[in-house]
């Protein structure tokens, strides 16, 4: 290349550089870098971040992250979400300018993830197109619709006496090992084929318990429409704190798509303890039972996100079933009373009923649904109207009869009918019942068709009626899920089917000495079924 050509090339290069220099405008990116002052169990104190906001995400070394909780003048208190053993005093901490979010989408169905959206099931990474903050404002009042559509749990005692509607918040509480999680799992299993998405959030649970629940859901085919969010017992308390909020954001994604969603928080007792631990480490003033003063707000802003949206907003619903553990049947403790006042009803599980083998151990007298019959179909409501009153009268008379008092014929009949109601409300775990089967049993109870059946044979008689419900015509079944009431012809048809199914038991019980001869107190023969049920329960393991 001759000198002239070289000069021309160099001139062109410099000309291009000058033009590029004129076009480029340097951009300054502001970064706030702080320093970790101290680290303790699950929290860190950081200085040098004057512009950080409340609940802003903060990045630390080795990929660890945290949420700014205490925003003081000279330092901030950060709740660590990762392994806090990797964080050391003197490490750098950087602001992100955003709040913590979680991946949402249909890709999460059938997966087991942690509160940060990382997979725990070994099925590979999760590729989603959308993320949502874990803390979101609840839907305004004007965007909400009344709760009128029932959520069938498959448990007769709940669907008949304590109905739950789509968009309701129903609390499940009771002592340890009384079957709280079993009720929630049965409700999830019963949503198969109902076009309902389920989110199961395990907070501070043992890994073995979570693995068992996931195995049950997978075996029942429920993982196809279920997302499992897990915070194990050995995880940092920060993960246990954000777990229900992350799970609710995932559920809200489906609700905003116009779908019906059920979310189970198992359980909020562990969540409250994790928040108390974080608050005490951050030197927040303790209140009743050492819980911070805003523990009510922590749970209320979580459960207030469950609702039924108006048709203009898609018509989706989010039904919350939080679980709370009581101690020594004390439902007047701080956290249980808080959540009872936040939710729309509660299902109380009694240890005494559990020990007697009455499963599910739902105490009907202490359980309530504030939505009530509005969450039941008219056909269902027509057959459950007098059932709760009859059962309540039976429980009162049964308590009085234990003193050995002599009762008249009317009281004896009431006690005998009540015992058969209780026998029909018993149900095995992981065996949800269909609506036709439940209605057939309730119609038979109202018609006193079980009266001649001896107590020891009630389980067989109930199964016979359940099998007979499969022969109900499709036209009648369609009316079960409609807004029309049962006609007299429909009721007569169901009564005839139930009477034919119970004929062998009524014949066998004619003159049977095992009939209720001594309702004033539990006779030896009457107590035998409860003992057998308890033995069967012990073999299966506590729920």
């Amino acid at each position: 290349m001759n000198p002239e050509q070289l000069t021309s090339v160099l001139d062109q290069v410099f000309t291009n550089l000058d033009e590029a220099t004129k076009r480029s405008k340097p951009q300054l990116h502001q970064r706030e870098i702080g320093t970790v002052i101290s680290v303790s169990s699950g929290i860190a104190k950081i200085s040098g971040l004057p512009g950080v906001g409340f609940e802003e995400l903060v990045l630390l070394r080795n990929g660890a992250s945290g949420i700014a909780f205490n925003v003081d003048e000279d330092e901030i208190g950060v709740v660590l979400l990762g392994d806090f053993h990797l964080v050391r005093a003197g490490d750098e901490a950087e602001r992100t300018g955003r709040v913590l979010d979680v991946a949402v989408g249909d890709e999460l169905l059938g997966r087991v993830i942690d509160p940060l959206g990382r997979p725990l099931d070994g099925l590979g990474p999760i590729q989603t197109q959308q993320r949502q903050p874990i803390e979101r404002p609840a839907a305004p009042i004007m965007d909400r619709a009344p709760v009128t559509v029932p959520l069938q749990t498959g448990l007769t005692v709940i669907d008949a006496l304590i109905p739950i509607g789509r968009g309701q918040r129903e609390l499940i509480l009771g002592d340890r090992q009384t079957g709280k999680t079993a009720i929630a799992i049965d409700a999830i299993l019963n949503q198969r084929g109902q076009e309902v998405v389920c989110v199961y959030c395990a907070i501070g649970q043992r890994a073995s318990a979570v693995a068992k629940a996931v195995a049950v859901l997978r075996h029942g085919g429920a993982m196809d429409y279920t997302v499992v969010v897990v915070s194990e017992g050995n995880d940092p308390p920060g993960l246990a704190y954000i777990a229900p909020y992350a799970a609710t954001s995932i559920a809200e994604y489906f609700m905003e798509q116009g779908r019906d969603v059920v979310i189970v928080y198992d359980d909020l007792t562990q969540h409250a303890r994790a928040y108390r631990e974080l608050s005490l480490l951050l030197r927040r003033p303790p209140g009743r039972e050492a819980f911070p003063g805003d523990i009510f707000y922590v749970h209320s802003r979580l459960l207030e996100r469950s609702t039924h949206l108006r048709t203009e907003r898609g018509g989706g619903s989010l039904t919350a079933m939080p679980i709370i553990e009581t101690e020594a049947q004390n439902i007047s403790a701080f956290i249980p009373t808080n959540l009872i006042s936040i939710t729309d009803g509660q299902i109380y599980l009694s240890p005494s009923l559990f020990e007697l083998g009455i499963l599910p151990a739902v105490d009907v007298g202490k359980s309530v649904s504030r939505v009530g019959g509005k969450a039941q179909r008219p056909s269902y409501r027509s057959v459950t109207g007098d059932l709760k009153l009859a059962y309540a009268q039976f429980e009162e008379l049964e308590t009085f009869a234990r003193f050995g008092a002599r009762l008249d014929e009317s009281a004896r009949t009431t006690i005998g009918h009540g015992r058969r109601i209780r026998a029909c409300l018993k149900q095995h775990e992981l065996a949800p019942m269909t609506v036709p089967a439940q209605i057939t049993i309730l119609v038979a109870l109202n018609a006193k068709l079980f009266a001649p059946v001896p107590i020891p044979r009630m389980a067989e008689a109930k199964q016979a009626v359940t099998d007979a419900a499969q022969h109900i015509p499709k036209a009648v079944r369609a009316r079960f899920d409609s807004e029309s009431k049962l006609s007299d012809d429909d009721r007569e048809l169901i009564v005839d089917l139930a009477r034919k199914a119970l004929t062998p038991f009524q014949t066998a019980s004619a003159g049977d000495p095992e009939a209720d001869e001594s309702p004033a107190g539990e006779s030896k023969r009457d107590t035998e079924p409860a003992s057998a049920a308890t033995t069967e329960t012990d073999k299966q393991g506590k729920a």
Side-chain angles (χ1 to χ4, degrees):
M1 179 180 296
N2 56 39
E4 294 180 358
Q5 292 178 340
L6 181 59
T7 302
S8 176
V9 171
L10 292 175
D11 290 341
Q12 184 64 33
V13 171
F14 285 118
T15 301
N16 293 338
L17 288 174
D18 290 339
E19 293 177 357
T21 303
K22 293 178 182 179
R23 288 196 304 267
S24 65
K25 295 181 179 179
Q27 297 180 356
L28 299 178
H29 296 280
Q30 183 180 2
R31 297 176 59 195
E32 286 191 24
I33 304 295
T35 305
V36 177
I37 301 176
S38 63
V39 181
S40 58
S41 178
I43 68 165
K45 297 292 184 64
I46 300 176
S47 65
L49 297 177
V52 71
F54 178 64
E55 291 192 346
E56 182 178 337
L57 185 64
V58 178
L59 297 181
L60 297 98
R61 61 172 297 184
N62 297 325
S65 59
I67 302 177
F69 249 46
N70 280 10
V71 183
D72 300 326
E73 183 177 358
D74 299 325
E75 64 181 21
I76 62 172
V78 175
V79 174
L80 301 178
L81 303 178
D83 192 351
F84 54 85
H85 299 291
L86 302 176
V87 183
R88 297 286 186 270
D91 291 345
E92 290 186 350
E94 180 181 355
R95 284 187 58 192
T96 60
R98 61 184 180 88
V99 296
L100 184 64
D101 53 19
V102 66
V104 298
D106 292 342
E107 296 82 1
L108 295 177
L109 293 175
R111 302 301 301 269
V112 181
I113 62 175
D114 69 356
L116 298 177
R118 298 174 299 193
L120 300 176
D121 49 11
L123 300 179
I126 303 174
Q127 303 294 336
T128 58
Q129 303 296 327
Q130 191 174 350
R131 302 184 69 87
Q132 287 185 357
I134 64 170
E135 289 268 17
R136 305 180 67 206
I141 296 296
M142 299 305 295
D143 290 342
R144 304 186 180 209
V147 176
T148 56
V149 181
L151 177 79
Q152 298 295 140
T153 64
L155 300 173
T156 306
V157 63
I158 295 178
D159 294 337
L161 305 181
I162 319 159
I164 302 176
R166 298 188 181 185
Q168 187 177 345
R169 296 158 295 185
E170 187 76 8
L171 180 66
I172 303 174
L173 74 162
D175 285 8
R176 293 184 68 252
Q177 302 295 330
T178 52
K180 302 184 295 298
T181 302
I183 286 182
I185 296 297
D186 281 345
I188 294 177
L189 291 174
N190 195 56
Q191 305 313 312
R192 186 175 185 181
Q194 305 295 325
E195 300 297 329
V196 177
V197 178
C198 301
V199 179
Y200 178 73
C201 179
I203 309 170
Q205 301 295 317
R206 301 189 312 273
S208 59
V210 176
K212 178 182 177 182
V214 173
V216 169
L217 294 176
R218 185 168 283 116
H219 182 266
M223 286 301 292
D224 296 338
Y225 53 86
T226 303
V227 182
V228 180
V229 181
V230 178
S231 170
E232 297 179 3
N234 59 346
D235 287 339
L239 283 180
Y241 169 71
I242 69 170
Y245 296 100
T248 306
S249 293
I250 295 172
E252 281 181 331
Y253 166 82
F254 296 105
M255 178 184 67
E256 292 170 354
Q257 304 297 318
R259 306 174 71 174
D260 294 318
V261 189
V262 175
I263 183 168
V264 176
Y265 304 105
D266 189 11
D267 62 78
L268 290 186
T269 304
Q270 300 292 340
H271 181 254
R273 291 170 181 168
Y275 185 67
R276 175 173 62 182
E277 178 183 352
L278 294 173
S279 300
L280 293 177
L281 289 171
L282 290 170
R283 302 292 183 180
R284 292 186 175 184
R288 179 178 168 184
E289 298 180 21
F291 286 102
D294 61 342
I295 185 65
F296 182 90
Y297 174 63
V298 165
H299 286 155
S300 63
R301 76 172 188 258
L302 170 68
L303 295 173
E304 194 64 25
R305 296 162 69 177
S306 300
T307 184
H308 180 208
L309 296 178
R310 296 174 54 189
T311 306
E312 294 79 2
R313 287 285 308 274
S317 67
L318 177 56
T319 307
M321 298 179 68
I323 296 176
I324 278 291
E325 178 185 310
T326 57
E327 296 180 354
Q329 308 181 44
N330 183 18
I331 62 175
S332 62
F334 185 38
I335 300 301
T337 51
N338 277 354
L339 285 157
I340 287 174
S341 63
I342 295 171
T343 53
D344 305 316
Q346 69 272 355
I347 299 172
Y348 177 69
L349 301 180
S350 170
S352 302
L353 296 178
F354 188 90
E355 293 169 0
L356 292 174
I358 303 174
L359 303 177
V362 177
D363 189 331
V364 178
K366 295 181 180 179
S367 303
V368 66
S369 174
R370 296 188 180 97
V371 176
K374 293 182 180 179
Q376 285 181 323
R377 296 296 188 191
S379 58
Y380 215 108
R381 195 182 313 131
S382 62
V383 298
T384 60
D386 301 331
L387 191 63
K388 191 168 186 177
L389 177 61
Y391 194 68
Q393 291 175 341
F394 153 69
E395 288 183 327
E396 291 294 332
L397 281 174
E398 187 183 40
T399 303
F400 178 72
R402 289 195 181 101
F403 295 101
R406 292 187 177 183
L407 303 177
D408 57 14
E409 187 63 28
S410 175
R412 292 165 63 91
T413 303
T414 301
I415 289 181
H417 182 52
R419 286 176 179 169
R420 284 156 179 83
I421 294 177
R422 184 165 62 190
C424 287
L425 295 182
K426 289 182 181 180
Q427 198 166 334
H428 292 293
E429 185 182 352
L430 307 180
M433 295 183 62
T434 61
V435 172
Q438 292 185 18
I439 290 182
T440 304
I441 291 175
L442 296 175
V443 169
L445 277 173
N446 290 333
K448 305 294 180 64
L449 299 183
F450 287 101
V453 179
I455 294 295
R457 302 198 66 187
M458 277 299 299
E460 302 175 52
K462 176 185 172 184
Q463 185 60 43
V465 175
T466 302
D467 296 337
Q470 300 177 3
H471 302 292
I472 298 178
K474 292 184 179 180
V476 179
R477 290 190 180 196
R479 283 193 283 275
F480 291 164
D481 294 327
S482 65
E483 295 298 329
S484 59
K485 297 182 179 180
L486 285 178
S487 63
D488 294 338
D489 294 338
D490 296 340
R491 195 180 295 269
E492 291 179 3
L493 173 66
I494 296 174
V495 169
D496 290 340
L497 286 174
R499 183 179 287 111
K500 292 178 181 178
L502 293 174
T503 299
F505 305 95
Q506 295 173 349
T507 302
S509 64
D512 194 332
E514 290 189 45
D516 296 332
E517 296 179 357
S518 178
E522 291 287 345
S523 65
K524 180 179 179 181
R525 298 190 180 189
D526 286 337
T527 55
E528 286 178 358
S531 301
T534 307
T535 305
E536 181 182 356
T537 304
D538 293 336
K539 291 181 180 179
Q540 294 178 349
K542 292 186 177 181

mmCIF file of all heavy atoms in Angstrom, residues 45-65:
data_model
loop_
_atom_site.group_PDB
_atom_site.id
_atom_site.type_symbol
_atom_site.label_atom_id
_atom_site.label_comp_id
_atom_site.label_asym_id
_atom_site.label_seq_id
_atom_site.Cartn_x
_atom_site.Cartn_y
_atom_site.Cartn_z
ATOM 1 N N LYS A 45 -27.161 -6.125 59.474
ATOM 2 C CA LYS A 45 -27.204 -4.671 59.607
ATOM 3 C C LYS A 45 -26.248 -4.087 58.574
ATOM 4 O O LYS A 45 -25.084 -4.504 58.487
ATOM 5 C CB LYS A 45 -26.776 -4.250 61.015
ATOM 6 C CG LYS A 45 -27.689 -4.764 62.124
ATOM 7 C CD LYS A 45 -29.058 -4.110 62.059
ATOM 8 C CE LYS A 45 -29.936 -4.544 63.213
ATOM 9 N NZ LYS A 45 -29.422 -4.114 64.528
ATOM 10 N N ILE A 46 -26.737 -3.124 57.775
ATOM 11 C CA ILE A 46 -25.969 -2.552 56.662
ATOM 12 C C ILE A 46 -25.990 -1.041 56.786
ATOM 13 O O ILE A 46 -27.031 -0.440 57.090
ATOM 14 C CB ILE A 46 -26.555 -2.991 55.301
ATOM 15 C CG1 ILE A 46 -26.511 -4.509 55.168
ATOM 16 C CG2 ILE A 46 -25.830 -2.339 54.140
ATOM 17 C CD1 ILE A 46 -27.148 -5.026 53.901
ATOM 18 N N SER A 47 -24.852 -0.422 56.522
ATOM 19 C CA SER A 47 -24.751 1.041 56.492
ATOM 20 C C SER A 47 -24.328 1.482 55.100
ATOM 21 O O SER A 47 -23.780 0.693 54.322
ATOM 22 C CB SER A 47 -23.733 1.531 57.531
ATOM 23 O OG SER A 47 -22.429 1.077 57.198
ATOM 24 N N GLY A 48 -24.574 2.748 54.804
ATOM 25 C CA GLY A 48 -24.134 3.292 53.528
ATOM 26 C C GLY A 48 -25.145 3.198 52.410
ATOM 27 O O GLY A 48 -24.778 3.342 51.239
ATOM 28 N N LEU A 49 -26.410 2.983 52.712
ATOM 29 C CA LEU A 49 -27.466 2.944 51.693
ATOM 30 C C LEU A 49 -28.555 3.947 52.092
ATOM 31 O O LEU A 49 -29.648 3.568 52.535
ATOM 32 C CB LEU A 49 -28.061 1.536 51.564
ATOM 33 C CG LEU A 49 -27.111 0.426 51.106
ATOM 34 C CD1 LEU A 49 -27.829 -0.922 51.111
ATOM 35 C CD2 LEU A 49 -26.557 0.727 49.718
ATOM 36 N N PRO A 50 -28.293 5.240 51.936
ATOM 37 C CA PRO A 50 -29.244 6.244 52.429
ATOM 38 C C PRO A 50 -30.550 6.287 51.644
ATOM 39 O O PRO A 50 -31.568 6.745 52.170
ATOM 40 C CB PRO A 50 -28.472 7.563 52.284
ATOM 41 C CG PRO A 50 -27.493 7.299 51.184
ATOM 42 C CD PRO A 50 -27.094 5.859 51.325
ATOM 43 N N GLY A 51 -30.552 5.839 50.375
ATOM 44 C CA GLY A 51 -31.765 5.940 49.564
ATOM 45 C C GLY A 51 -32.609 4.697 49.509
ATOM 46 O O GLY A 51 -33.581 4.640 48.753
ATOM 47 N N VAL A 52 -32.291 3.693 50.295
ATOM 48 C CA VAL A 52 -33.018 2.438 50.228
ATOM 49 C C VAL A 52 -34.432 2.624 50.764
ATOM 50 O O VAL A 52 -34.684 3.444 51.651
ATOM 51 C CB VAL A 52 -32.271 1.345 51.018
ATOM 52 C CG1 VAL A 52 -32.367 1.594 52.512
ATOM 53 C CG2 VAL A 52 -32.792 -0.043 50.659
ATOM 54 N N GLY A 53 -35.391 1.878 50.183
ATOM 55 C CA GLY A 53 -36.774 1.961 50.604
ATOM 56 C C GLY A 53 -37.208 0.726 51.362
ATOM 57 O O GLY A 53 -36.522 -0.310 51.363
ATOM 58 N N PHE A 54 -38.365 0.825 52.009
ATOM 59 C CA PHE A 54 -38.887 -0.304 52.791
ATOM 60 C C PHE A 54 -39.217 -1.472 51.865
ATOM 61 O O PHE A 54 -39.843 -1.293 50.813
ATOM 62 C CB PHE A 54 -40.131 0.135 53.563
ATOM 63 C CG PHE A 54 -40.769 -0.962 54.363
ATOM 64 C CD1 PHE A 54 -40.099 -1.561 55.406
ATOM 65 C CD2 PHE A 54 -42.046 -1.399 54.056
ATOM 66 C CE1 PHE A 54 -40.681 -2.576 56.149
ATOM 67 C CE2 PHE A 54 -42.645 -2.411 54.793
ATOM 68 C CZ PHE A 54 -41.958 -2.997 55.840
ATOM 69 N N GLU A 55 -38.771 -2.677 52.242
ATOM 70 C CA GLU A 55 -38.979 -3.921 51.501
ATOM 71 C C GLU A 55 -38.309 -3.899 50.121
ATOM 72 O O GLU A 55 -38.703 -4.632 49.225
ATOM 73 C CB GLU A 55 -40.469 -4.241 51.351
ATOM 74 C CG GLU A 55 -41.133 -4.610 52.669
ATOM 75 C CD GLU A 55 -42.518 -5.193 52.504
ATOM 76 O OE1 GLU A 55 -43.065 -5.068 51.385
ATOM 77 O OE2 GLU A 55 -43.047 -5.758 53.464
ATOM 78 N N GLU A 56 -37.288 -3.070 49.959
ATOM 79 C CA GLU A 56 -36.519 -3.086 48.708
ATOM 80 C C GLU A 56 -35.532 -4.253 48.739
ATOM 81 O O GLU A 56 -34.977 -4.606 49.783
ATOM 82 C CB GLU A 56 -35.767 -1.769 48.534
ATOM 83 C CG GLU A 56 -34.974 -1.700 47.234
ATOM 84 C CD GLU A 56 -34.282 -0.361 47.056
ATOM 85 O OE1 GLU A 56 -34.742 0.635 47.659
ATOM 86 O OE2 GLU A 56 -33.274 -0.299 46.318
ATOM 87 N N LEU A 57 -35.298 -4.830 47.574
ATOM 88 C CA LEU A 57 -34.382 -5.957 47.456
ATOM 89 C C LEU A 57 -32.941 -5.458 47.484
ATOM 90 O O LEU A 57 -32.579 -4.518 46.770
ATOM 91 C CB LEU A 57 -34.653 -6.718 46.155
ATOM 92 C CG LEU A 57 -33.861 -8.014 45.932
ATOM 93 C CD1 LEU A 57 -34.219 -9.050 46.988
ATOM 94 C CD2 LEU A 57 -34.115 -8.556 44.527
ATOM 95 N N VAL A 58 -32.108 -6.087 48.294
ATOM 96 C CA VAL A 58 -30.699 -5.735 48.446
ATOM 97 C C VAL A 58 -29.867 -6.966 48.078
ATOM 98 O O VAL A 58 -30.147 -8.080 48.547
ATOM 99 C CB VAL A 58 -30.383 -5.284 49.890
ATOM 100 C CG1 VAL A 58 -28.904 -4.959 50.038
ATOM 101 C CG2 VAL A 58 -31.236 -4.071 50.257
ATOM 102 N N LEU A 59 -28.841 -6.768 47.232
ATOM 103 C CA LEU A 59 -27.968 -7.858 46.802
ATOM 104 C C LEU A 59 -26.693 -7.856 47.621
ATOM 105 O O LEU A 59 -26.095 -6.804 47.867
ATOM 106 C CB LEU A 59 -27.628 -7.719 45.309
ATOM 107 C CG LEU A 59 -28.800 -7.821 44.334
ATOM 108 C CD1 LEU A 59 -28.302 -7.679 42.901
ATOM 109 C CD2 LEU A 59 -29.547 -9.129 44.508
ATOM 110 N N LEU A 60 -26.256 -9.061 48.017
ATOM 111 C CA LEU A 60 -25.023 -9.219 48.771
ATOM 112 C C LEU A 60 -24.101 -10.175 48.025
ATOM 113 O O LEU A 60 -24.401 -10.616 46.913
ATOM 114 C CB LEU A 60 -25.311 -9.717 50.193
ATOM 115 C CG LEU A 60 -26.145 -8.770 51.061
ATOM 116 C CD1 LEU A 60 -27.597 -9.199 51.046
ATOM 117 C CD2 LEU A 60 -25.652 -8.739 52.493
ATOM 118 N N ARG A 61 -23.005 -10.546 48.634
ATOM 119 C CA ARG A 61 -22.013 -11.380 47.968
ATOM 120 C C ARG A 61 -22.526 -12.825 47.836
ATOM 121 O O ARG A 61 -23.471 -13.229 48.496
ATOM 122 C CB ARG A 61 -20.699 -11.379 48.743
ATOM 123 C CG ARG A 61 -20.814 -11.916 50.159
ATOM 124 C CD ARG A 61 -19.457 -12.063 50.806
ATOM 125 N NE ARG A 61 -18.635 -13.032 50.095
ATOM 126 C CZ ARG A 61 -17.424 -13.409 50.490
ATOM 127 N NH1 ARG A 61 -16.893 -12.863 51.579
ATOM 128 N NH2 ARG A 61 -16.738 -14.292 49.815
ATOM 129 N N ASN A 62 -21.887 -13.565 46.922
ATOM 130 C CA ASN A 62 -22.185 -14.976 46.691
ATOM 131 C C ASN A 62 -23.643 -15.226 46.296
ATOM 132 O O ASN A 62 -24.214 -16.282 46.574
ATOM 133 C CB ASN A 62 -21.852 -15.824 47.928
ATOM 134 C CG ASN A 62 -20.376 -15.794 48.258
ATOM 135 O OD1 ASN A 62 -19.538 -15.748 47.360
ATOM 136 N ND2 ASN A 62 -20.051 -15.793 49.542
ATOM 137 N N GLY A 63 -24.267 -14.228 45.661
ATOM 138 C CA GLY A 63 -25.630 -14.410 45.197
ATOM 139 C C GLY A 63 -26.691 -14.298 46.265
ATOM 140 O O GLY A 63 -27.881 -14.494 45.973
ATOM 141 N N ALA A 64 -26.332 -14.009 47.494
ATOM 142 C CA ALA A 64 -27.325 -13.857 48.557
ATOM 143 C C ALA A 64 -28.082 -12.548 48.368
ATOM 144 O O ALA A 64 -27.599 -11.592 47.751
ATOM 145 C CB ALA A 64 -26.653 -13.895 49.926
ATOM 146 N N SER A 65 -29.297 -12.517 48.895
ATOM 147 C CA SER A 65 -30.128 -11.326 48.788
ATOM 148 C C SER A 65 -30.909 -11.154 50.082
ATOM 149 O O SER A 65 -30.944 -12.049 50.937
ATOM 150 C CB SER A 65 -31.091 -11.432 47.599
ATOM 151 O OG SER A 65 -31.928 -12.573 47.729
#
